[in-house]
Amino acid sequence: MREKKFSVEHLSDLIADLKEEPALTVLEQLLSEGIPPAVLLDSCMEGMRRVGKRFEQGRYFIAALIMAGEIMRCATEMLGPHISVDETGKTKGRVLLGTVQGDIHDLGKNLFASQLHFDGVEVVDLGLDVPPEVFLTRAQEQMPDMVGLSCVLTSCISGLKDTIELFHSKLGDQRPPIIIGGACVDEKVREFTKADFWAADPTLGLRIYHRVLRNGFKVLPDA
């Protein structure tokens, strides 16, 4: 019996439907067929975007996000050895990431970290429930090209604002650009917290990062 052929679109469908074992089986098959790992990663990300959309629509709940995160973790582990971050061995800058104090959600942060890593960017991930002072200290140590703050809970927006205010007060116009993301983040939250950028999804975040890296970014002094 001939082995059934699958497509990258089918892989996205399986991830969106939270079918872990079939999704990983199809991923392995497509990888063995010579489909470029970067294409497969994009397909996985498309599946995750659909998961996020269904969560926003009320069709999925927190348990689904946790399950999707586990599928993506396994997928990135499978793809990791096959993706060359940079043939020259050089990284495309450094990003400091973390979920703000009081918040223990990391799905979006981890997806952003994976995309950065596979694109050749060095990632320093501080994890969950990170106090403002830790963000500041590690930023001073690591000198990142960008700081990414994740916030999913509306109750933690104050922690998001506190972290950014600390960067403003301690580093002034020498601070790195700050990008924020998460289920509760939008343009109004960006304005309220005085973040430099916000991203609705990890793919957009990656595009913003490369635009900043390519064009440079001068932080304007606080008024």
Side-chain angles (χ1 to χ4, degrees), residues 20-86:
E20 180 175 1
E21 188 172 340
L24 297 177
T25 298
V26 169
L27 176 60
E28 185 175 27
Q29 179 180 322
L30 293 173
L31 192 59
S32 69
E33 291 174 0
I35 304 297
V39 172
L40 296 176
L41 179 61
D42 286 343
S43 178
C44 292
M45 292 302 301
E46 171 58 26
M48 293 301 297
R49 280 190 286 272
R50 294 184 202 172
V51 170
K53 194 68 175 178
R54 293 176 188 181
F55 177 75
E56 292 174 2
Q57 295 169 341
R59 297 168 59 190
Y60 279 168
F61 300 98
I62 292 297
L65 296 184
I66 294 172
M67 186 180 301
E70 176 62 17
I71 295 173
M72 194 65 190
R73 183 189 66 79
C74 294
T76 52
E77 283 184 0
M78 188 180 299
L79 291 170
H82 302 277
I83 296 181
S84 175
V85 295
D86 194 303

Side-chain angles (χ1 to χ4, degrees), residues 13 23 27 30 34 57 79 89 113 115 118 139-140 170 187 216 222:
D13 293 340
L27 176 60
L30 293 173
Q57 295 169 341
L79 291 170
Q115 285 214 358
F118 290 135
Q140 291 172 317
K170 297 298 183 180
E187 176 60 20
D222 293 333

Side-chain angles (χ1 to χ4, degrees), residues 27-200:
L27 176 60
E28 185 175 27
Q29 179 180 322
L30 293 173
L31 192 59
S32 69
E33 291 174 0
I35 304 297
V39 172
L40 296 176
L41 179 61
D42 286 343
S43 178
C44 292
M45 292 302 301
E46 171 58 26
M48 293 301 297
R49 280 190 286 272
R50 294 184 202 172
V51 170
K53 194 68 175 178
R54 293 176 188 181
F55 177 75
E56 292 174 2
Q57 295 169 341
R59 297 168 59 190
Y60 279 168
F61 300 98
I62 292 297
L65 296 184
I66 294 172
M67 186 180 301
E70 176 62 17
I71 295 173
M72 194 65 190
R73 183 189 66 79
C74 294
T76 52
E77 283 184 0
M78 188 180 299
L79 291 170
H82 302 277
I83 296 181
S84 175
V85 295
D86 194 303
E87 292 181 359
T88 66
K90 297 178 181 178
T91 60
K92 301 174 183 176
R94 176 183 297 157
V95 174
L96 180 73
L97 290 179
T99 300
V100 298
Q101 190 169 34
D103 201 324
I104 58 171
H105 297 86
D106 63 0
L107 176 58
K109 174 184 68 67
N110 291 347
L111 293 177
F112 187 34
S114 294
Q115 285 214 358
L116 288 166
H117 172 73
F118 290 135
D119 200 57
V121 181
E122 181 183 351
V123 177
V124 180
D125 191 344
L126 303 184
L128 307 172
D129 192 19
V130 182
E133 297 78 10
V134 173
F135 273 114
L136 178 65
T137 299
R138 294 301 301 275
Q140 291 172 317
E141 293 172 352
Q142 298 290 333
M143 300 294 289
D145 297 284
M146 179 174 279
V147 173
L149 308 179
S150 176
C151 181
V152 172
L153 303 175
T154 55
S155 60
C156 295
I157 291 178
S158 59
L160 188 64
K161 183 176 176 63
D162 290 344
T163 301
I164 296 171
E165 285 183 344
L166 188 62
F167 273 83
H168 279 253
S169 64
K170 297 298 183 180
L171 300 183
D173 60 1
Q174 298 302 308
R175 64 181 172 79
I178 298 172
I179 186 170
I180 61 176
C184 70
V185 170
D186 56 18
E187 176 60 20
K188 290 183 179 179
V189 172
R190 187 204 66 77
E191 292 178 355
F192 173 71
T193 61
K194 295 185 179 180
D196 300 299
F197 306 97
W198 78 280

Side-chain angles (χ1 to χ4, degrees), residues 92 119 121 205-215:
K92 301 174 183 176
D119 200 57
V121 181
L206 183 63
R207 290 203 299 268
I208 292 171
Y209 171 72
H210 279 298
R211 188 174 75 229
V212 170
L213 201 66
R214 181 175 61 251
N215 299 330

